[in-house]
Amino acid sequence: MEARVGSVGVLVLLTVAALLSGCAEAAGKGIPALFVFGDSTVDTGNQNYITSVIKSNYPPYGKDFNPPGPTGRFCNGKVANDFLADFLEIPRPVNYLAPEAKGSRVLTGVNFASSGSGYLDITGALFGVLNLTRQLDNFGIVKKEIISQIGEESTDKLLRESIYLISTGSNDFVNSYNLNPILQAKFTPAAYETLLLGTIDTNLKTLYDYGARRVFIDSLSPLGCVPEQLVLAGSKDGSCIEKVNVPVKSFNVGLQATLASIRQQRPDYDLSYVNVYDPLLEAITQPEKLGFKFGNTACCGEGPFKGLPCVNPISDVCDNADDYVFWDLFHPTERTYDILSSNIIKGSGLFVSPMNLEQMIAKKP
Ligand SMILES: *[C@@H]1O[C@H](CO)[C@@H](O)[C@H](O)[C@H]1NC(C)=O
């Protein structure tokens, strides 16, 4: 009986959602496009077109992709933005630097991400990455390209109704501040956090001014628990490195406050905070609860916890990446990204706040 009431309730909700979404004109879920900004957690191959040492365009990367083979994703298969595009029933965003990123192909979304980049433009600068300022400038170029195809009014509508995902920030800590005595001398941890949050505030307002209204922004993950950091700290038992996680947790609290303040200043800006930290920490520390066998040891890599790079062809590669939370020393497996993207799509307020993707779709922008 209860089950029946439940499914009727779901039906009613779905109907209401369909009505609220204004009888979508576009295919699928009525979302015209997905635009992606960030680092290697969302890069789907821009790095292949850049002269940079940060690469993943060799086997065994992409071993479980369809079709199998390296794509430039730092993963065995799909990353979170692939799952989001598939859910939205739109093509996966084209890589900004790919030759096919022109004409009608950009109308369903573009991926501007660059592995090694961060919130700060200095992060990854030595590696020739596309910094976040550049990624946003490139979005402006794409906007002009869209206007030239469908006109200003339709472009505004398209950008307003599209979904945006920002996933970055890890490199600002583990590959920059944490390794850089000059930065540490210049900024206390608190001042560095303030600098990052100020940059985020500016960049999110820039995105708003371009016309974006529906943005998901990832928290930092528990960086002190990734295999690379366990090796760096000489961990014996594999427990998380607390001194790496402390500023991460503080940043995540600050990020939520920054987003709340922007929402207050711009009530028509739907900015959702994605809690990557807690679900990933749970997966790492209690892998069996989520059906994983290994929490803090990567599928491909070298050394203890496989916390050294996954190098072709010498590194060990596990048979079944689905058993692992981590694909390489730093990056999740496809299965982990599946869980994290499900949280974005339909997770509770614990995982995505104030709205998940389904709720955002149901609300008119
Ligand atoms: C960010 O990228 C732009 C464009 O490539 C470049 O001009 C600028 O110097 C970069 N910023 C830093 C701090 O490297």
Side-chain angles (χ1 to χ4, degrees):
M1 191 60 195
E2 250 182 60
R4 265 193 63 190
V5 172
S7 60
V8 170
V10 168
L11 253 182
V12 170
L13 275 179
L14 286 175
T15 312
V16 171
L19 289 173
L20 284 176
S21 71
C23 306
E25 308 117 307
K29 304 283 194 295
I31 300 297
L34 172 65
F35 296 98
V36 180
F37 303 86
D39 61 17
S40 58
T41 54
V42 286
D43 190 349
T44 52
N46 280 319
Q47 213 72 355
N48 298 344
Y49 302 95
I50 299 177
T51 309
S52 166
V53 294
I54 307 168
K55 295 274 189 189
S56 62
N57 55 351
Y58 56 85
Y61 283 90
K63 84 181 180 77
D64 301 312
F65 200 75
N66 180 18
T71 63
R73 287 167 180 78
F74 279 80
C75 191
N76 61 305
K78 288 176 280 185
V79 292
N81 25 314
D82 294 316
F83 284 104
L84 295 186
D86 293 356
F87 167 78
L88 294 170
E89 297 169 39
I90 55 178
R92 294 183 189 155
V94 65
N95 292 316
Y96 177 75
L97 294 179
E100 63 269 26
K102 53 180 191 287
S104 63
R105 186 64 184 84
V106 302
L107 299 177
T108 50
V110 178
N111 187 329
F112 300 94
S114 175
S115 301
S117 65
Y119 282 118
L120 300 182
D121 288 347
I122 49 169
T123 299
L126 291 176
F127 302 114
V129 303
L130 301 181
N131 59 45
L132 195 52
T133 299
R134 177 82 180 275
Q135 293 182 32
L136 287 164
D137 287 350
N138 289 341
F139 179 60
I141 294 171
V142 165
K143 179 177 177 180
K144 288 206 184 97
E145 162 87 26
I146 296 176
I147 292 173
S148 76
Q149 293 179 57
I150 64 173
E152 202 130 355
E153 208 173 307
S154 299
T155 300
D156 286 347
K157 183 171 186 296
L158 186 151
L159 298 185
R160 193 168 63 234
E161 293 178 347
S162 293
I163 299 292
Y164 300 76
L165 174 69
I166 302 173
S167 178
T168 191
S170 307
N171 294 311
D172 295 298
F173 287 90
V174 292
N175 290 320
S176 182
Y177 186 81
N178 298 7
L179 301 175
N180 189 333
I182 299 169
L183 269 183
Q184 290 168 14
K186 204 162 153 197
F187 300 100
T188 63
Y192 192 67
E193 180 185 311
T194 303
L195 177 68
L196 288 171
L197 296 175
T199 306
I200 292 168
D201 186 77
T202 305
N203 286 333
L204 285 174
K205 287 172 180 166
T206 301
L207 201 54
Y208 180 95
D209 292 341
Y210 277 128
R213 291 296 180 273
R214 299 163 140 179
V215 180
F216 290 88
I217 181 159
D218 279 352
S219 76
L220 289 180
S221 59
L223 297 172
C225 311
V226 308
E228 179 210 45
Q229 293 293 308
L230 300 181
V231 167
L232 202 64
S235 171
K236 293 276 178 289
D237 63 358
S239 51
C240 301
I241 312 302
E242 206 44 33
K243 77 167 195 288
V244 177
N245 279 345
V246 166
V248 165
K249 284 186 274 195
S250 172
F251 170 89
N252 284 343
V253 172
L255 176 59
Q256 291 172 76
T258 300
L259 300 183
S261 136
I262 299 173
R263 281 194 299 266
Q264 204 154 34
Q265 296 163 37
R266 292 168 172 67
D268 62 340
Y269 201 2
D270 286 334
L271 278 178
S272 266
Y273 170 83
V274 181
N275 176 0
V276 174
Y277 190 99
D278 291 312
L280 204 47
L281 183 68
E282 184 182 39
I284 294 165
T285 55
Q286 299 165 269
E288 54 296 324
K289 247 176 97 173
L290 292 163
F292 293 106
K293 289 189 183 142
F294 305 95
N296 59 12
T297 296
C299 169
C300 181
E302 300 282 320
F305 311 105
K306 301 281 167 65
L308 296 169
C310 167
V311 217
N312 184 38
I314 50 170
S315 294
D316 290 337
V317 191
C318 70
D319 286 334
N320 185 5
D322 286 353
D323 289 340
Y324 292 74
V325 174
F326 287 100
W327 158 249
D328 68 8
L329 73 173
F330 203 83
H331 303 95
T333 54
E334 172 180 277
R335 178 143 186 271
T336 307
Y337 279 128
D338 190 2
I339 292 170
L340 295 174
S341 58
S342 293
N343 285 342
I344 296 180
I345 292 167
K346 54 184 191 299
S348 76
L350 292 174
F351 301 118
V352 55
S353 168
M355 257 179 285
N356 64 31
L357 181 53
E358 287 183 339
Q359 291 162 334
M360 216 184 268
I361 293 172
K363 178 176 177 277
K364 252 189 148 18

